[in-house]
Amino acid sequence: MRKKIIAGNWKMNKTPSEAVKLIEELKPLVANDDVDVVFCVPAIDLVPAVEAVKGTNIQIGAENMYYQESGAYTGEIAPNMLTDIGVKYVIIGHSERREYFAETDETVNKKVLKAFEHGITPIICCGESLTQREQGITIDWIRQQIKIAFLNVTADQAKEAVIAYEPIWAIGTGKVATSAQAEEVCAAIRACIGEIYDEATAEAIRIQYGGSVSASSAPELFAMPDIDGGLVGGASLKPDFGKIVNYNK
Ligand code: PGA
């Protein structure tokens, strides 16, 4: 039985002092031992956030990471900078990073390999545009993203990975995918992992849905057989995140 994983993606929101305040507010609301709870916060918030969640069920994740160990990469964050402060997760290849910061399936793959090398769990994002959905090429597109993201990743590593299926047309738009649409793609992702590796790996890997998840849509989405939780943007900055984390209560 896969444990659900519900992660907040704060994006470029909250200063360090605001982050600590929000964590204090959300702490009692997100207590639920049935699920893994992760707050992915801006780089500058990571240190105070790790401190603020000590003694709780919340883990802290980064929103990005570079694939080199160190060196002349102005403005980037190295993997050992994350592990040094106790960061356990990192979002890789969010569609906003692909669109505004030129990330590609190839850089996603390099980052995924580097994260595993350092024992950080990657939350690997994939998702189609509205045009791709309307052209009927969603599954082909997602399979391509997954196959490249997992190049040279071992089965043991893949078992620990988290994939976030986030249709681009559903992100920040309030247009949540139906549970049937989300399940169809998440099941296809699991089948693809089964083809690359084996049945055991496909059964172990956790696949989230993301895109306008709210307290009202979460219970139906998370009840789908191949949806193991969510990556939540806007609603993760509000008390509603507590309801999403406690979708099963
Ligand atoms: P949203 O964002 O929940 O605000 O749509 C999700 C995401 O981009 O991870």
Side-chain angles (χ1 to χ4, degrees), residues 126-146 165-169 177 180-186 188-189 192 209:
C126 60
E128 82 287 4
S129 66
L130 188 58
T131 309
Q132 288 166 331
R133 175 157 287 268
E134 286 173 352
Q135 288 301 317
I137 57 171
T138 296
I139 302 290
D140 290 345
W141 175 258
I142 303 286
R143 284 173 56 86
Q144 178 175 314
Q145 287 187 317
I146 295 298
Y165 165 56
E166 299 203 307
I168 296 167
W169 49 270
Q181 283 173 325
E183 167 61 20
E184 184 197 9
V185 179
C186 290
I189 292 170
C192 183
Y209 166 79

Short mmCIF file of all heavy atoms in Angstrom, two decimals, residues 126-146 165-169 177 180-186 188-189 192 209:
data_model
loop_
_atom_site.label_atom_id
_atom_site.label_comp_id
_atom_site.label_asym_id
_atom_site.label_seq_id
_atom_site.Cartn_x
_atom_site.Cartn_y
_atom_site.Cartn_z
N CYS A 126 5.65 16.52 -14.72
CA CYS A 126 5.36 16.34 -16.13
C CYS A 126 3.96 16.88 -16.38
O CYS A 126 3.21 17.09 -15.43
CB CYS A 126 5.47 14.88 -16.54
SG CYS A 126 4.32 13.80 -15.66
N GLY A 127 3.64 17.12 -17.63
CA GLY A 127 2.29 17.62 -17.90
C GLY A 127 2.19 18.18 -19.30
O GLY A 127 3.18 18.64 -19.88
N GLU A 128 0.98 18.12 -19.85
CA GLU A 128 0.74 18.56 -21.22
C GLU A 128 0.08 19.94 -21.26
O GLU A 128 -0.57 20.35 -20.31
CB GLU A 128 -0.15 17.55 -21.96
CG GLU A 128 -1.65 17.67 -21.71
CD GLU A 128 -2.11 17.20 -20.34
OE1 GLU A 128 -1.26 16.83 -19.52
OE2 GLU A 128 -3.33 17.21 -20.08
N SER A 129 0.25 20.62 -22.38
CA SER A 129 -0.42 21.91 -22.61
C SER A 129 -1.84 21.63 -23.09
O SER A 129 -2.19 20.49 -23.44
CB SER A 129 0.33 22.70 -23.68
OG SER A 129 0.22 22.02 -24.92
N LEU A 130 -2.64 22.68 -23.16
CA LEU A 130 -4.02 22.52 -23.64
C LEU A 130 -4.02 22.08 -25.11
O LEU A 130 -4.80 21.20 -25.50
CB LEU A 130 -4.78 23.85 -23.47
CG LEU A 130 -6.28 23.77 -23.74
CD1 LEU A 130 -6.95 22.74 -22.84
CD2 LEU A 130 -6.92 25.15 -23.54
N THR A 131 -3.11 22.65 -25.90
CA THR A 131 -3.02 22.26 -27.31
C THR A 131 -2.72 20.77 -27.45
O THR A 131 -3.33 20.07 -28.26
CB THR A 131 -1.89 23.06 -28.02
OG1 THR A 131 -2.10 24.44 -27.74
CG2 THR A 131 -1.88 22.83 -29.51
N GLN A 132 -1.77 20.30 -26.65
CA GLN A 132 -1.42 18.88 -26.73
C GLN A 132 -2.61 18.00 -26.35
O GLN A 132 -2.88 16.99 -26.98
CB GLN A 132 -0.22 18.60 -25.83
CG GLN A 132 1.06 19.18 -26.40
CD GLN A 132 2.20 19.24 -25.41
OE1 GLN A 132 1.98 19.36 -24.21
NE2 GLN A 132 3.41 19.16 -25.91
N ARG A 133 -3.34 18.43 -25.31
CA ARG A 133 -4.53 17.65 -24.92
C ARG A 133 -5.55 17.65 -26.05
O ARG A 133 -6.10 16.61 -26.41
CB ARG A 133 -5.15 18.20 -23.62
CG ARG A 133 -6.45 17.51 -23.23
CD ARG A 133 -6.76 17.63 -21.77
NE ARG A 133 -5.92 16.79 -20.93
CZ ARG A 133 -6.22 15.55 -20.55
NH1 ARG A 133 -7.35 14.99 -20.92
NH2 ARG A 133 -5.40 14.85 -19.80
N GLU A 134 -5.78 18.82 -26.62
CA GLU A 134 -6.79 18.91 -27.69
C GLU A 134 -6.38 18.15 -28.94
O GLU A 134 -7.23 17.67 -29.68
CB GLU A 134 -7.06 20.39 -28.01
CG GLU A 134 -7.89 21.04 -26.91
CD GLU A 134 -8.06 22.55 -27.07
OE1 GLU A 134 -7.41 23.15 -27.96
OE2 GLU A 134 -8.82 23.12 -26.29
N GLN A 135 -5.08 18.00 -29.15
CA GLN A 135 -4.60 17.23 -30.30
C GLN A 135 -4.53 15.74 -30.01
O GLN A 135 -4.11 14.96 -30.87
CB GLN A 135 -3.21 17.74 -30.73
CG GLN A 135 -3.22 19.09 -31.41
CD GLN A 135 -4.09 19.12 -32.66
OE1 GLN A 135 -4.06 18.20 -33.46
NE2 GLN A 135 -4.90 20.15 -32.80
N GLY A 136 -4.87 15.34 -28.80
CA GLY A 136 -4.91 13.91 -28.47
C GLY A 136 -3.53 13.29 -28.29
O GLY A 136 -3.38 12.08 -28.44
N ILE A 137 -2.52 14.12 -27.96
CA ILE A 137 -1.17 13.55 -27.83
C ILE A 137 -0.67 13.59 -26.38
O ILE A 137 0.54 13.47 -26.12
CB ILE A 137 -0.15 14.26 -28.77
CG1 ILE A 137 -0.11 15.77 -28.50
CG2 ILE A 137 -0.49 13.98 -30.23
CD1 ILE A 137 1.02 16.49 -29.25
N THR A 138 -1.60 13.74 -25.44
CA THR A 138 -1.21 13.83 -24.02
C THR A 138 -0.37 12.64 -23.57
O THR A 138 0.73 12.82 -23.04
CB THR A 138 -2.48 13.93 -23.13
OG1 THR A 138 -3.15 15.14 -23.46
CG2 THR A 138 -2.13 13.94 -21.65
N ILE A 139 -0.87 11.44 -23.79
CA ILE A 139 -0.18 10.26 -23.25
C ILE A 139 1.20 10.09 -23.90
O ILE A 139 2.19 9.82 -23.22
CB ILE A 139 -1.04 8.98 -23.44
CG1 ILE A 139 -2.42 9.14 -22.75
CG2 ILE A 139 -0.30 7.74 -22.92
CD1 ILE A 139 -2.43 9.15 -21.24
N ASP A 140 1.27 10.29 -25.23
CA ASP A 140 2.56 10.18 -25.93
C ASP A 140 3.57 11.17 -25.33
O ASP A 140 4.74 10.85 -25.11
CB ASP A 140 2.42 10.52 -27.42
CG ASP A 140 1.65 9.44 -28.16
OD1 ASP A 140 1.51 8.34 -27.59
OD2 ASP A 140 1.20 9.70 -29.28
N TRP A 141 3.09 12.40 -25.13
CA TRP A 141 3.95 13.47 -24.61
C TRP A 141 4.46 13.13 -23.21
O TRP A 141 5.66 13.24 -22.91
CB TRP A 141 3.16 14.78 -24.59
CG TRP A 141 3.87 15.93 -23.98
CD1 TRP A 141 3.69 16.44 -22.73
CD2 TRP A 141 4.90 16.72 -24.58
NE1 TRP A 141 4.53 17.51 -22.52
CE2 TRP A 141 5.28 17.71 -23.63
CE3 TRP A 141 5.53 16.71 -25.83
CZ2 TRP A 141 6.27 18.66 -23.90
CZ3 TRP A 141 6.51 17.66 -26.09
CH2 TRP A 141 6.87 18.62 -25.13
N ILE A 142 3.55 12.69 -22.35
CA ILE A 142 3.93 12.38 -20.96
C ILE A 142 4.90 11.19 -20.92
O ILE A 142 5.87 11.19 -20.17
CB ILE A 142 2.67 12.04 -20.11
CG1 ILE A 142 1.66 13.18 -20.13
CG2 ILE A 142 3.04 11.62 -18.69
CD1 ILE A 142 1.98 14.39 -19.32
N ARG A 143 4.65 10.20 -21.77
CA ARG A 143 5.55 9.04 -21.81
C ARG A 143 6.97 9.46 -22.20
O ARG A 143 7.95 8.96 -21.66
CB ARG A 143 5.02 7.97 -22.80
CG ARG A 143 3.85 7.17 -22.25
CD ARG A 143 3.25 6.27 -23.33
NE ARG A 143 4.25 5.39 -23.93
CZ ARG A 143 4.60 4.20 -23.44
NH1 ARG A 143 4.02 3.75 -22.35
NH2 ARG A 143 5.51 3.47 -24.04
N GLN A 144 7.04 10.40 -23.13
CA GLN A 144 8.35 10.90 -23.55
C GLN A 144 9.04 11.62 -22.39
O GLN A 144 10.22 11.39 -22.11
CB GLN A 144 8.16 11.85 -24.74
CG GLN A 144 9.46 12.47 -25.21
CD GLN A 144 9.25 13.31 -26.46
OE1 GLN A 144 8.59 12.88 -27.41
NE2 GLN A 144 9.80 14.51 -26.46
N GLN A 145 8.29 12.47 -21.68
CA GLN A 145 8.86 13.20 -20.54
C GLN A 145 9.37 12.22 -19.49
O GLN A 145 10.47 12.38 -18.94
CB GLN A 145 7.81 14.13 -19.92
CG GLN A 145 7.50 15.35 -20.77
CD GLN A 145 6.58 16.33 -20.05
OE1 GLN A 145 5.61 15.93 -19.41
NE2 GLN A 145 6.87 17.60 -20.16
N ILE A 146 8.58 11.19 -19.21
CA ILE A 146 8.94 10.22 -18.17
C ILE A 146 10.17 9.41 -18.61
O ILE A 146 11.11 9.21 -17.84
CB ILE A 146 7.76 9.27 -17.87
CG1 ILE A 146 6.58 10.05 -17.25
CG2 ILE A 146 8.16 8.09 -16.99
CD1 ILE A 146 6.89 10.70 -15.92
N TYR A 165 2.04 14.63 -11.83
CA TYR A 165 1.39 14.90 -13.12
C TYR A 165 0.60 16.20 -12.99
O TYR A 165 -0.37 16.27 -12.23
CB TYR A 165 0.45 13.75 -13.52
CG TYR A 165 -0.49 14.18 -14.63
CD1 TYR A 165 0.02 14.68 -15.83
CD2 TYR A 165 -1.88 14.13 -14.48
CE1 TYR A 165 -0.82 15.12 -16.84
CE2 TYR A 165 -2.73 14.57 -15.48
CZ TYR A 165 -2.19 15.07 -16.66
OH TYR A 165 -3.03 15.53 -17.65
N GLU A 166 1.04 17.22 -13.72
CA GLU A 166 0.40 18.52 -13.64
C GLU A 166 0.05 19.04 -15.03
O GLU A 166 0.93 19.61 -15.72
CB GLU A 166 1.33 19.53 -12.96
CG GLU A 166 1.71 19.17 -11.55
CD GLU A 166 2.14 20.39 -10.74
OE1 GLU A 166 3.02 21.13 -11.20
OE2 GLU A 166 1.56 20.62 -9.68
N PRO A 167 -1.18 18.85 -15.47
CA PRO A 167 -1.56 19.43 -16.76
C PRO A 167 -1.40 20.95 -16.71
O PRO A 167 -1.89 21.59 -15.77
CB PRO A 167 -3.02 19.02 -16.93
CG PRO A 167 -3.49 18.52 -15.60
CD PRO A 167 -2.29 18.18 -14.79
N ILE A 168 -0.68 21.51 -17.67
CA ILE A 168 -0.34 22.94 -17.61
C ILE A 168 -1.61 23.80 -17.61
O ILE A 168 -1.67 24.82 -16.92
CB ILE A 168 0.60 23.30 -18.80
CG1 ILE A 168 1.93 22.55 -18.64
CG2 ILE A 168 0.87 24.81 -18.84
CD1 ILE A 168 2.81 22.55 -19.88
N TRP A 169 -2.62 23.34 -18.32
CA TRP A 169 -3.88 24.10 -18.40
C TRP A 169 -4.63 24.14 -17.08
O TRP A 169 -5.56 24.93 -16.90
CB TRP A 169 -4.78 23.53 -19.51
CG TRP A 169 -4.94 22.03 -19.45
CD1 TRP A 169 -4.14 21.11 -20.07
CD2 TRP A 169 -5.91 21.30 -18.72
NE1 TRP A 169 -4.56 19.84 -19.77
CE2 TRP A 169 -5.66 19.93 -18.95
CE3 TRP A 169 -6.98 21.65 -17.89
CZ2 TRP A 169 -6.42 18.91 -18.38
CZ3 TRP A 169 -7.76 20.64 -17.33
CH2 TRP A 169 -7.47 19.28 -17.57
N ALA A 177 -8.38 19.24 -13.35
CA ALA A 177 -8.73 18.10 -14.21
C ALA A 177 -9.80 17.28 -13.49
O ALA A 177 -9.84 17.25 -12.27
CB ALA A 177 -7.48 17.24 -14.45
N ALA A 180 -11.31 11.52 -13.47
CA ALA A 180 -11.12 10.52 -14.54
C ALA A 180 -9.96 10.92 -15.46
O ALA A 180 -9.14 10.08 -15.83
CB ALA A 180 -12.41 10.37 -15.35
N GLN A 181 -9.89 12.22 -15.80
CA GLN A 181 -8.76 12.68 -16.65
C GLN A 181 -7.43 12.48 -15.93
O GLN A 181 -6.46 12.02 -16.52
CB GLN A 181 -8.93 14.19 -16.94
CG GLN A 181 -9.96 14.53 -17.99
CD GLN A 181 -10.17 16.04 -18.10
OE1 GLN A 181 -10.12 16.76 -17.10
NE2 GLN A 181 -10.42 16.52 -19.30
N ALA A 182 -7.40 12.85 -14.64
CA ALA A 182 -6.16 12.73 -13.87
C ALA A 182 -5.76 11.27 -13.71
O ALA A 182 -4.60 10.90 -13.89
CB ALA A 182 -6.32 13.40 -12.51
N GLU A 183 -6.74 10.42 -13.42
CA GLU A 183 -6.47 8.98 -13.23
C GLU A 183 -5.95 8.35 -14.52
O GLU A 183 -5.02 7.56 -14.49
CB GLU A 183 -7.73 8.26 -12.72
CG GLU A 183 -7.68 6.73 -12.75
CD GLU A 183 -6.59 6.09 -11.90
OE1 GLU A 183 -6.07 6.75 -10.97
OE2 GLU A 183 -6.26 4.92 -12.18
N GLU A 184 -6.53 8.73 -15.64
CA GLU A 184 -6.11 8.15 -16.92
C GLU A 184 -4.61 8.37 -17.15
O GLU A 184 -3.87 7.44 -17.50
CB GLU A 184 -6.91 8.77 -18.08
CG GLU A 184 -6.58 8.13 -19.42
CD GLU A 184 -7.01 8.95 -20.63
OE1 GLU A 184 -7.43 10.12 -20.46
OE2 GLU A 184 -6.91 8.40 -21.74
N VAL A 185 -4.17 9.60 -16.90
CA VAL A 185 -2.75 9.90 -17.16
C VAL A 185 -1.87 9.27 -16.07
O VAL A 185 -0.81 8.72 -16.38
CB VAL A 185 -2.51 11.42 -17.29
CG1 VAL A 185 -1.04 11.70 -17.54
CG2 VAL A 185 -3.37 12.00 -18.40
N CYS A 186 -2.30 9.33 -14.82
CA CYS A 186 -1.47 8.74 -13.75
C CYS A 186 -1.32 7.23 -13.95
O CYS A 186 -0.25 6.67 -13.72
CB CYS A 186 -2.05 9.08 -12.37
SG CYS A 186 -1.88 10.83 -11.97
N ALA A 188 -1.37 5.77 -16.86
CA ALA A 188 -0.46 5.62 -18.01
C ALA A 188 1.00 5.81 -17.58
O ALA A 188 1.90 5.14 -18.08
CB ALA A 188 -0.83 6.61 -19.11
N ILE A 189 1.21 6.74 -16.64
CA ILE A 189 2.57 6.96 -16.13
C ILE A 189 3.04 5.70 -15.40
O ILE A 189 4.17 5.24 -15.59
CB ILE A 189 2.61 8.18 -15.17
CG1 ILE A 189 2.35 9.47 -15.96
CG2 ILE A 189 3.94 8.25 -14.42
CD1 ILE A 189 2.13 10.71 -15.09
N CYS A 192 3.97 3.11 -17.83
CA CYS A 192 5.25 3.46 -18.47
C CYS A 192 6.42 3.07 -17.56
O CYS A 192 7.42 2.51 -18.04
CB CYS A 192 5.24 4.96 -18.79
SG CYS A 192 6.69 5.55 -19.66
N TYR A 209 -1.15 14.13 -8.39
CA TYR A 209 -1.80 15.02 -9.35
C TYR A 209 -1.61 16.45 -8.86
O TYR A 209 -1.66 16.70 -7.64
CB TYR A 209 -3.31 14.73 -9.47
CG TYR A 209 -4.00 15.87 -10.19
CD1 TYR A 209 -3.94 15.97 -11.58
CD2 TYR A 209 -4.62 16.90 -9.48
CE1 TYR A 209 -4.48 17.07 -12.24
CE2 TYR A 209 -5.17 18.00 -10.13
CZ TYR A 209 -5.10 18.07 -11.52
OH TYR A 209 -5.62 19.16 -12.16
#
